[in-house]
Amino acid sequence: MKRKERHVVYNQEKEKWESKKNNAQRSSKDFETKQEAMDWSKEKAKKEKEELIPHKKDGEIQNPNSYGNDPNPPKDKN
């Protein structure tokens, strides 16, 4: 089964942050700030049991978080 993902990415053409499902052509929603995009995307990811993958403005991935069935859960319980 393929993992469901939601990405928070910066669109340089629009100069806005976007929340996008994996492999989607269009964004689900656009935001003025990354924090707004993260807050909205986190709620969607929890509801839809997705992996939330935020990106920096340059596209680098930052601290993904799983809200579904994580195929690689952390080994420590802290």
Side-chain angles (χ1 to χ4, degrees):
M1 185 169 100
K2 192 169 182 179
R3 178 169 84 164
K4 295 186 335 182
E5 299 175 348
R6 177 170 299 275
H7 295 260
V8 173
V9 296
Y10 186 71
N11 183 321
Q12 292 181 342
E13 290 177 12
K14 292 182 185 178
E15 296 182 347
K16 293 189 184 268
W17 288 92
E18 299 178 331
S19 179
K20 294 176 82 168
K21 284 195 171 206
N22 197 34
N23 297 322
Q25 295 293 321
R26 299 181 324 155
S27 66
S28 299
K29 194 166 181 177
D30 297 341
F31 301 88
E32 294 295 323
T33 68
K34 184 175 184 180
Q35 188 60 54
E36 291 172 324
M38 287 296 296
D39 291 344
W40 188 86
S41 298
K42 183 177 179 179
E43 290 305 312
K44 285 299 237 185
K46 284 181 179 180
K47 231 184 243 187
E48 298 179 21
K49 296 183 175 22
E50 298 172 317
E51 179 89 8
L52 179 58
I53 305 174
H55 296 257
K56 294 180 182 179
K57 268 191 175 180
D58 65 6
E60 184 181 340
I61 292 176
Q62 299 181 284
N63 305 326
N65 204 339
S66 181
Y67 296 101
N69 295 324
D70 190 348
N72 300 308
K75 291 185 181 4
D76 65 349
K77 299 294 181 196
N78 295 337

Coordinates of all heavy atoms in Angstrom, one line a residue:
M1 N 0.8 -1.2 0.0 CA 0.0 0.0 0.0 C 0.9 1.2 0.0 O 1.8 1.3 0.8 CB -0.9 0.0 1.2 CG -1.9 1.1 1.3 SD -3.1 0.9 2.5 CE -2.5 2.0 3.8
K2 N 0.6 2.2 -0.9 CA 1.3 3.4 -1.0 C 1.0 4.3 0.2 O -0.1 4.5 0.6 CB 1.0 4.1 -2.3 CG 2.0 5.2 -2.6 CD 1.9 5.7 -4.0 CE 2.9 6.7 -4.2 NZ 2.9 7.3 -5.5
R3 N 2.0 5.0 0.7 CA 1.9 5.9 1.8 C 1.2 7.2 1.3 O 1.5 7.8 0.3 CB 3.3 6.2 2.3 CG 3.4 7.2 3.4 CD 4.8 7.2 4.0 NE 5.6 8.1 3.2 CZ 6.8 8.5 3.7 NH1 7.3 8.1 4.8 NH2 7.5 9.3 2.9
K4 N 0.3 7.7 2.2 CA -0.4 8.9 1.8 C 0.4 10.1 2.4 O 0.8 10.0 3.6 CB -1.8 8.9 2.4 CG -2.7 7.9 1.8 CD -4.2 7.9 2.1 CE -4.6 8.5 3.4 NZ -6.0 8.4 3.7
E5 N 0.7 11.1 1.6 CA 1.5 12.2 2.1 C 0.8 13.5 1.8 O 0.1 13.7 0.8 CB 2.9 12.2 1.3 CG 3.7 11.0 1.6 CD 5.0 11.0 0.7 OE1 5.1 11.8 -0.2 OE2 5.8 10.1 1.0
R6 N 1.1 14.5 2.6 CA 0.7 15.9 2.4 C 2.0 16.7 2.6 O 2.7 16.6 3.5 CB -0.4 16.3 3.4 CG -0.8 17.8 3.2 CD -2.0 18.1 4.0 NE -3.2 17.3 3.6 CZ -4.0 17.7 2.5 NH1 -3.7 18.8 1.8 NH2 -5.0 16.9 2.2
H7 N 2.3 17.6 1.6 CA 3.5 18.4 1.6 C 3.1 19.9 1.8 O 2.1 20.4 1.2 CB 4.2 18.3 0.3 CG 4.8 16.9 0.1 ND1 6.1 16.6 0.3 CD2 4.2 15.8 -0.4 CE1 6.3 15.3 0.0 NE2 5.1 14.8 -0.4
V8 N 3.9 20.6 2.5 CA 3.8 22.1 2.7 C 5.0 22.6 1.9 O 6.2 22.4 2.3 CB 3.8 22.5 4.1 CG1 3.9 24.0 4.2 CG2 2.5 22.0 4.8
V9 N 4.7 23.3 0.8 CA 5.8 23.8 -0.1 C 5.6 25.3 -0.4 O 4.5 25.8 -0.4 CB 5.9 23.0 -1.4 CG1 6.2 21.5 -1.1 CG2 4.6 23.0 -2.1
Y10 N 6.7 25.9 -0.7 CA 6.6 27.3 -1.1 C 6.6 27.4 -2.7 O 7.3 26.8 -3.4 CB 7.9 28.1 -0.6 CG 7.8 29.6 -0.9 CD1 6.9 30.4 -0.2 CD2 8.6 30.2 -1.9 CE1 6.8 31.7 -0.4 CE2 8.5 31.6 -2.1 CZ 7.6 32.3 -1.4 OH 7.5 33.7 -1.6
N11 N 5.6 28.2 -3.2 CA 5.4 28.4 -4.6 C 6.0 29.8 -4.9 O 5.4 30.8 -4.5 CB 3.9 28.3 -5.0 CG 3.7 28.5 -6.4 OD1 4.4 29.3 -7.1 ND2 2.8 27.7 -7.0
Q12 N 7.1 29.8 -5.6 CA 7.8 31.1 -5.9 C 7.0 31.9 -6.9 O 7.1 33.2 -6.8 CB 9.2 30.8 -6.4 CG 10.1 30.2 -5.3 CD 11.5 30.0 -5.8 OE1 11.8 29.9 -7.0 NE2 12.4 29.8 -4.9
E13 N 6.3 31.3 -7.8 CA 5.5 32.1 -8.8 C 4.4 32.9 -8.1 O 4.2 34.1 -8.3 CB 5.0 31.2 -9.8 CG 6.0 30.7 -10.8 CD 5.4 29.7 -11.8 OE1 4.2 29.6 -11.9 OE2 6.2 29.0 -12.5
K14 N 3.7 32.2 -7.2 CA 2.6 32.9 -6.4 C 3.1 33.6 -5.2 O 2.3 34.4 -4.7 CB 1.6 31.8 -6.0 CG 0.8 31.1 -7.0 CD -0.1 30.1 -6.4 CE -0.9 29.3 -7.3 NZ -1.7 28.3 -6.7
E15 N 4.3 33.3 -4.8 CA 4.8 33.9 -3.5 C 3.9 33.5 -2.3 O 3.6 34.4 -1.5 CB 5.1 35.4 -3.6 CG 6.1 35.7 -4.6 CD 6.4 37.2 -4.7 OE1 5.7 38.0 -4.2 OE2 7.4 37.5 -5.3
K16 N 3.5 32.2 -2.3 CA 2.6 31.7 -1.2 C 3.1 30.3 -0.9 O 3.7 29.6 -1.6 CB 1.2 31.7 -1.7 CG 0.6 33.1 -2.0 CD -0.9 33.0 -2.2 CE -1.5 34.3 -2.6 NZ -2.0 35.0 -1.4
W17 N 2.7 29.9 0.4 CA 2.9 28.6 0.8 C 1.7 27.8 0.4 O 0.5 28.3 0.4 CB 3.0 28.6 2.3 CG 4.4 29.1 2.7 CD1 4.6 30.4 3.1 CD2 5.6 28.4 2.8 NE1 6.0 30.5 3.4 CE2 6.6 29.3 3.2 CE3 6.0 27.1 2.6 CZ2 7.9 29.0 3.4 CZ3 7.3 26.7 2.8 CH2 8.2 27.6 3.2
E18 N 1.9 26.5 0.1 CA 0.8 25.6 -0.4 C 0.8 24.3 0.4 O 1.8 23.8 0.8 CB 1.0 25.3 -1.9 CG 1.0 26.4 -2.8 CD 1.2 26.0 -4.2 OE1 1.9 25.0 -4.5 OE2 0.7 26.7 -5.1
S19 N -0.4 23.8 0.5 CA -0.6 22.4 1.0 C -1.0 21.5 -0.1 O -2.0 21.8 -0.8 CB -1.6 22.4 2.1 OG -1.8 21.1 2.6
K20 N -0.2 20.5 -0.4 CA -0.4 19.6 -1.6 C -0.4 18.2 -1.2 O 0.5 17.8 -0.4 CB 0.6 19.9 -2.6 CG 0.6 21.2 -3.3 CD 1.8 21.3 -4.3 CE 1.3 20.7 -5.6 NZ 2.3 21.1 -6.7
K21 N -1.3 17.4 -1.7 CA -1.2 15.9 -1.6 C -0.1 15.5 -2.5 O 0.2 16.1 -3.5 CB -2.5 15.3 -2.0 CG -3.6 15.4 -0.9 CD -4.7 14.5 -1.2 CE -5.6 14.5 0.0 NZ -6.3 13.3 0.2
N22 N 0.5 14.3 -2.2 CA 1.5 13.7 -3.0 C 1.1 13.5 -4.4 O 0.0 13.0 -4.7 CB 1.9 12.4 -2.4 CG 3.3 11.9 -2.8 OD1 4.2 12.7 -3.1 ND2 3.4 10.6 -3.0
N23 N 1.9 14.0 -5.3 CA 1.7 13.9 -6.8 C 0.5 14.6 -7.3 O 0.1 14.4 -8.4 CB 1.6 12.4 -7.2 CG 2.8 11.6 -6.9 OD1 3.9 12.1 -7.1 ND2 2.7 10.4 -6.5
A24 N 0.0 15.6 -6.5 CA -1.1 16.4 -7.0 C -0.6 17.5 -8.0 O 0.5 18.0 -7.8 CB -1.8 17.1 -5.8
Q25 N -1.4 17.8 -9.0 CA -1.1 18.9 -9.9 C -1.3 20.2 -9.3 O -0.5 21.2 -9.6 CB -1.9 18.7 -11.2 CG -1.7 17.5 -12.0 CD -0.3 17.5 -12.6 OE1 0.2 18.5 -13.1 NE2 0.4 16.3 -12.6
R26 N -2.4 20.4 -8.5 CA -2.7 21.6 -7.9 C -2.6 21.5 -6.4 O -2.8 20.4 -5.8 CB -4.1 22.1 -8.3 CG -4.3 22.3 -9.8 CD -5.6 22.7 -10.2 NE -6.7 22.1 -9.4 CZ -7.9 22.7 -9.2 NH1 -8.2 23.8 -9.7 NH2 -8.8 22.1 -8.4
S27 N -2.5 22.7 -5.7 CA -2.5 22.7 -4.3 C -3.9 22.5 -3.7 O -4.9 22.9 -4.4 CB -1.8 24.0 -3.8 OG -2.6 25.1 -4.1
S28 N -4.0 22.0 -2.5 CA -5.3 22.0 -1.8 C -5.7 23.4 -1.4 O -6.9 23.7 -1.4 CB -5.2 21.1 -0.6 OG -4.9 19.8 -1.0
K29 N -4.7 24.1 -0.9 CA -5.0 25.5 -0.4 C -3.7 26.3 -0.4 O -2.6 25.7 -0.2 CB -5.6 25.4 1.0 CG -6.3 26.6 1.5 CD -7.1 26.4 2.7 CE -7.7 27.7 3.1 NZ -8.7 27.6 4.2
D30 N -3.8 27.6 -0.6 CA -2.6 28.5 -0.5 C -2.7 29.4 0.7 O -3.8 29.7 1.2 CB -2.6 29.5 -1.7 CG -2.5 28.8 -3.1 OD1 -2.1 27.6 -3.1 OD2 -2.9 29.4 -4.1
F31 N -1.5 29.8 1.2 CA -1.5 30.5 2.5 C -0.4 31.6 2.4 O 0.6 31.5 1.6 CB -1.1 29.6 3.6 CG -2.0 28.5 3.8 CD1 -1.9 27.3 3.2 CD2 -3.1 28.6 4.7 CE1 -2.8 26.3 3.3 CE2 -4.0 27.6 4.9 CZ -3.9 26.4 4.2
E32 N -0.6 32.7 3.1 CA 0.4 33.8 3.2 C 1.6 33.4 3.9 O 2.7 33.8 3.6 CB -0.2 35.1 3.8 CG -1.4 35.7 2.9 CD -0.9 36.2 1.6 OE1 0.2 36.7 1.5 OE2 -1.6 36.0 0.6
T33 N 1.5 32.6 5.0 CA 2.6 32.3 5.9 C 2.7 30.7 5.9 O 1.8 30.0 5.8 CB 2.5 32.8 7.3 OG1 1.4 32.1 7.9 CG2 2.2 34.3 7.3
K34 N 4.0 30.3 6.3 CA 4.2 28.9 6.4 C 3.4 28.4 7.6 O 2.9 27.2 7.6 CB 5.7 28.6 6.6 CG 6.0 27.1 6.7 CD 7.5 26.9 6.7 CE 7.8 25.4 6.7 NZ 9.2 25.2 6.7
Q35 N 3.4 29.2 8.7 CA 2.7 28.7 9.9 C 1.2 28.4 9.6 O 0.7 27.4 10.1 CB 2.8 29.7 11.0 CG 2.3 29.3 12.4 CD 3.0 28.0 12.9 OE1 4.2 28.0 13.0 NE2 2.2 27.0 13.2
E36 N 0.6 29.3 8.9 CA -0.9 29.0 8.5 C -1.0 27.7 7.7 O -1.9 26.9 7.9 CB -1.4 30.2 7.7 CG -1.6 31.5 8.4 CD -1.9 32.6 7.5 OE1 -1.4 32.7 6.3 OE2 -2.7 33.5 7.9
A37 N -0.1 27.5 6.8 CA -0.1 26.3 6.0 C 0.2 25.1 6.8 O -0.5 24.0 6.6 CB 1.0 26.4 4.9
M38 N 1.1 25.2 7.8 CA 1.4 24.0 8.7 C 0.2 23.7 9.5 O -0.2 22.5 9.7 CB 2.6 24.3 9.5 CG 3.9 24.3 8.8 SD 4.3 22.7 8.1 CE 4.5 21.7 9.6
D39 N -0.5 24.7 10.1 CA -1.6 24.5 11.0 C -2.7 23.8 10.3 O -3.3 22.8 10.7 CB -2.1 25.8 11.6 CG -1.1 26.4 12.6 OD1 -0.2 25.7 13.1 OD2 -1.2 27.6 12.9
W40 N -3.1 24.3 9.1 CA -4.2 23.7 8.3 C -3.8 22.3 7.8 O -4.6 21.4 7.9 CB -4.5 24.6 7.1 CG -5.7 24.2 6.3 CD1 -7.0 24.6 6.6 CD2 -5.7 23.4 5.2 NE1 -7.8 24.1 5.6 CE2 -7.1 23.3 4.8 CE3 -4.8 22.8 4.4 CZ2 -7.5 22.6 3.6 CZ3 -5.1 22.0 3.3 CH2 -6.5 22.0 2.9
S41 N -2.6 22.1 7.4 CA -2.1 20.9 6.8 C -2.1 19.8 7.9 O -2.4 18.6 7.7 CB -0.8 21.0 6.2 OG -0.9 21.9 5.1
K42 N -1.7 20.2 9.1 CA -1.6 19.3 10.3 C -3.0 18.7 10.6 O -3.1 17.5 10.8 CB -1.0 20.0 11.5 CG -0.8 19.1 12.7 CD -0.2 19.9 13.8 CE 0.0 19.0 15.0 NZ 0.7 19.7 16.1
E43 N -4.0 19.6 10.6 CA -5.4 19.1 10.9 C -5.8 18.1 9.8 O -6.5 17.1 10.1 CB -6.3 20.3 11.0 CG -6.1 21.1 12.2 CD -6.1 20.3 13.5 OE1 -7.1 19.5 13.7 OE2 -5.2 20.4 14.3
K44 N -5.5 18.5 8.5 CA -5.9 17.6 7.4 C -5.2 16.3 7.5 O -5.8 15.2 7.2 CB -5.6 18.3 6.0 CG -6.6 19.4 5.7 CD -7.9 18.8 5.5 CE -8.5 19.1 4.2 NZ -9.9 18.7 4.1
A45 N -3.9 16.3 7.8 CA -3.1 15.1 7.9 C -3.6 14.2 9.0 O -3.7 13.0 8.8 CB -1.6 15.4 8.1
K46 N -4.0 14.8 10.1 CA -4.6 14.0 11.2 C -5.9 13.3 10.8 O -6.1 12.1 11.0 CB -4.8 14.8 12.4 CG -3.6 15.2 13.2 CD -3.9 16.1 14.4 CE -2.7 16.4 15.2 NZ -3.1 17.3 16.4
K47 N -6.8 14.1 10.1 CA -8.1 13.6 9.7 C -7.9 12.5 8.7 O -8.7 11.5 8.7 CB -8.8 14.8 9.1 CG -10.2 15.0 9.6 CD -10.9 16.0 8.9 CE -11.2 17.2 9.8 NZ -12.0 18.2 9.3
E48 N -7.0 12.6 7.8 CA -6.9 11.7 6.6 C -5.8 10.7 6.9 O -5.4 9.9 6.0 CB -6.6 12.5 5.3 CG -7.8 13.4 5.0 CD -7.7 14.2 3.8 OE1 -6.8 13.8 2.9 OE2 -8.4 15.2 3.7
K49 N -5.2 10.7 8.1 CA -4.1 9.7 8.5 C -3.0 9.7 7.4 O -2.6 8.7 6.9 CB -4.7 8.3 8.7 CG -5.7 8.3 9.8 CD -6.2 6.9 10.0 CE -7.0 6.6 11.2 NZ -7.8 7.7 11.8
E50 N -2.4 10.9 7.2 CA -1.3 11.1 6.3 C 0.0 11.4 6.9 O 0.0 11.8 8.1 CB -1.7 12.3 5.3 CG -2.9 12.1 4.5 CD -3.3 13.4 3.8 OE1 -3.3 14.5 4.4 OE2 -3.7 13.2 2.7
E51 N 1.0 11.3 6.2 CA 2.4 11.8 6.6 C 2.4 13.3 6.2 O 2.1 13.6 5.1 CB 3.4 11.0 5.8 CG 4.8 11.4 6.1 CD 5.4 10.6 7.3 OE1 4.8 9.7 7.7 OE2 6.5 11.0 7.7
L52 N 2.8 14.1 7.1 CA 3.0 15.6 6.9 C 4.4 15.9 6.6 O 5.3 15.6 7.5 CB 2.4 16.4 8.0 CG 2.5 17.9 7.9 CD1 1.8 18.4 6.6 CD2 2.0 18.6 9.1
I53 N 4.7 16.4 5.4 CA 6.1 16.7 5.1 C 6.3 18.1 4.7 O 6.0 18.6 3.6 CB 6.5 15.8 3.9 CG1 6.3 14.3 4.2 CG2 8.0 16.0 3.5 CD1 6.5 13.4 3.1
P54 N 6.8 18.9 5.7 CA 7.1 20.3 5.4 C 8.4 20.5 4.7 O 9.3 19.7 4.9 CB 7.1 20.9 6.8 CG 7.5 19.8 7.7 CD 7.0 18.6 7.1
H55 N 8.5 21.5 3.9 CA 9.7 21.8 3.1 C 10.1 23.3 3.5 O 9.3 24.1 3.8 CB 9.4 21.8 1.6 CG 9.1 20.4 1.1 ND1 10.0 19.6 0.5 CD2 7.9 19.7 1.2 CE1 9.4 18.5 0.2 NE2 8.2 18.5 0.6
K56 N 11.4 23.5 3.3 CA 11.9 24.9 3.5 C 11.6 25.6 2.1 O 11.2 25.0 1.2 CB 13.4 24.9 3.7 CG 13.8 24.3 5.0 CD 15.3 24.3 5.2 CE 15.8 23.7 6.5 NZ 17.3 23.7 6.6
K57 N 11.9 26.9 2.1 CA 11.7 27.7 0.9 C 12.5 27.1 -0.3 O 12.1 27.2 -1.4 CB 12.0 29.1 1.0 CG 10.8 30.0 1.5 CD 11.2 31.4 1.4 CE 9.9 32.3 1.6 NZ 10.2 33.7 1.6
D58 N 13.7 26.6 0.0 CA 14.5 26.0 -1.1 C 14.2 24.6 -1.4 O 14.8 24.0 -2.3 CB 16.0 26.1 -0.6 CG 16.3 25.2 0.5 OD1 15.5 24.4 1.0 OD2 17.5 25.2 1.0
G59 N 13.1 24.0 -0.8 CA 12.6 22.7 -1.2 C 13.1 21.6 -0.3 O 12.6 20.5 -0.4
E60 N 14.1 21.9 0.6 CA 14.6 20.8 1.5 C 13.6 20.4 2.5 O 12.8 21.2 3.0 CB 15.9 21.4 2.2 CG 16.5 20.4 3.1 CD 17.7 21.0 3.8 OE1 18.3 22.0 3.4 OE2 18.1 20.4 4.8
I61 N 13.5 19.1 2.7 CA 12.5 18.5 3.6 C 12.9 18.8 5.1 O 14.1 18.7 5.4 CB 12.3 17.0 3.4 CG1 11.7 16.8 2.1 CG2 11.5 16.4 4.5 CD1 11.6 15.3 1.7
Q62 N 11.9 19.2 5.9 CA 12.2 19.4 7.3 C 11.2 18.5 8.2 O 10.1 18.5 7.9 CB 11.7 20.9 7.7 CG 12.5 22.0 7.1 CD 11.9 23.3 7.6 OE1 10.8 23.7 7.3 NE2 12.6 23.9 8.5
N63 N 11.7 17.9 9.1 CA 11.0 17.1 10.2 C 9.6 16.6 9.8 O 8.6 17.1 10.2 CB 10.8 18.1 11.4 CG 12.1 18.6 11.9 OD1 13.1 17.9 11.8 ND2 12.1 19.8 12.4
P64 N 9.6 15.6 9.0 CA 8.3 15.0 8.6 C 7.6 14.4 9.9 O 8.3 14.0 10.8 CB 8.6 13.8 7.6 CG 10.0 13.9 7.4 CD 10.7 14.9 8.3
N65 N 6.3 14.3 9.9 CA 5.5 13.8 11.0 C 4.4 12.9 10.5 O 3.7 13.3 9.6 CB 5.0 14.9 11.8 CG 4.7 14.6 13.2 OD1 4.6 13.4 13.6 ND2 4.6 15.6 14.1
S66 N 4.3 11.7 11.1 CA 3.2 10.8 10.6 C 2.0 10.9 11.5 O 2.1 10.8 12.7 CB 3.8 9.4 10.6 OG 2.8 8.5 10.2
Y67 N 0.9 11.0 10.8 CA -0.4 11.0 11.6 C -1.3 9.8 11.1 O -2.4 9.7 11.3 CB -1.2 12.3 11.3 CG -0.5 13.5 11.8 CD1 0.3 14.3 11.0 CD2 -0.5 13.7 13.2 CE1 1.0 15.4 11.5 CE2 0.2 14.8 13.7 CZ 0.9 15.6 12.9 OH 1.6 16.7 13.4
G68 N -0.6 8.8 10.5 CA -1.3 7.6 10.1 C -0.5 6.4 10.5 O 0.1 6.4 11.6
N69 N -0.5 5.3 9.8 CA 0.2 4.1 10.1 C 1.6 4.3 9.6 O 1.9 4.1 8.4 CB -0.4 2.9 9.5 CG -1.8 2.6 10.0 OD1 -2.0 2.9 11.2 ND2 -2.7 2.2 9.2
D70 N 2.5 4.7 10.5 CA 3.9 5.0 10.1 C 4.6 3.6 9.8 O 4.7 2.8 10.7 CB 4.6 5.7 11.3 CG 6.0 6.2 10.9 OD1 6.5 5.8 9.9 OD2 6.5 7.0 11.7
P71 N 5.1 3.4 8.6 CA 5.8 2.2 8.3 C 7.1 2.0 9.0 O 7.6 0.9 9.2 CB 6.0 2.2 6.8 CG 6.0 3.7 6.5 CD 5.1 4.3 7.5
N72 N 7.7 3.1 9.5 CA 9.0 3.1 10.2 C 8.9 3.9 11.5 O 9.5 4.9 11.7 CB 10.1 3.7 9.4 CG 10.3 2.9 8.1 OD1 10.4 1.7 8.1 ND2 10.2 3.6 7.0
P73 N 8.1 3.4 12.5 CA 7.9 4.1 13.8 C 9.3 4.2 14.5 O 10.1 3.4 14.4 CB 6.9 3.3 14.5 CG 7.0 2.0 14.0 CD 7.4 2.1 12.6
P74 N 9.4 5.3 15.3 CA 10.7 5.4 16.1 C 10.8 4.2 17.1 O 9.8 3.7 17.6 CB 10.5 6.7 16.9 CG 9.1 7.1 16.7 CD 8.5 6.3 15.6
K75 N 12.0 3.8 17.3 CA 12.3 2.7 18.2 C 12.2 3.1 19.6 O 11.8 2.3 20.5 CB 13.7 2.1 17.9 CG 13.7 1.4 16.5 CD 15.0 0.8 16.3 CE 15.2 0.1 15.0 NZ 14.3 0.1 14.0
D76 N 12.6 4.3 20.0 CA 12.5 4.7 21.4 C 11.1 5.2 21.7 O 10.4 5.7 20.8 CB 13.6 5.8 21.7 CG 13.4 7.1 21.0 OD1 12.6 7.1 20.0 OD2 14.0 8.1 21.3
K77 N 10.7 5.2 22.9 CA 9.4 5.6 23.3 C 9.4 6.9 24.0 O 8.4 7.3 24.6 CB 8.8 4.5 24.3 CG 8.7 3.1 23.7 CD 7.7 3.1 22.5 CE 7.6 1.7 21.9 NZ 7.0 1.7 20.7
N78 N 10.5 7.7 24.0 CA 10.6 9.0 24.6 C 10.0 10.1 23.8 O 10.0 10.2 22.7 CB 12.0 9.3 24.9 CG 12.6 8.4 26.0 OD1 11.9 7.8 26.7 ND2 13.9 8.3 26.0

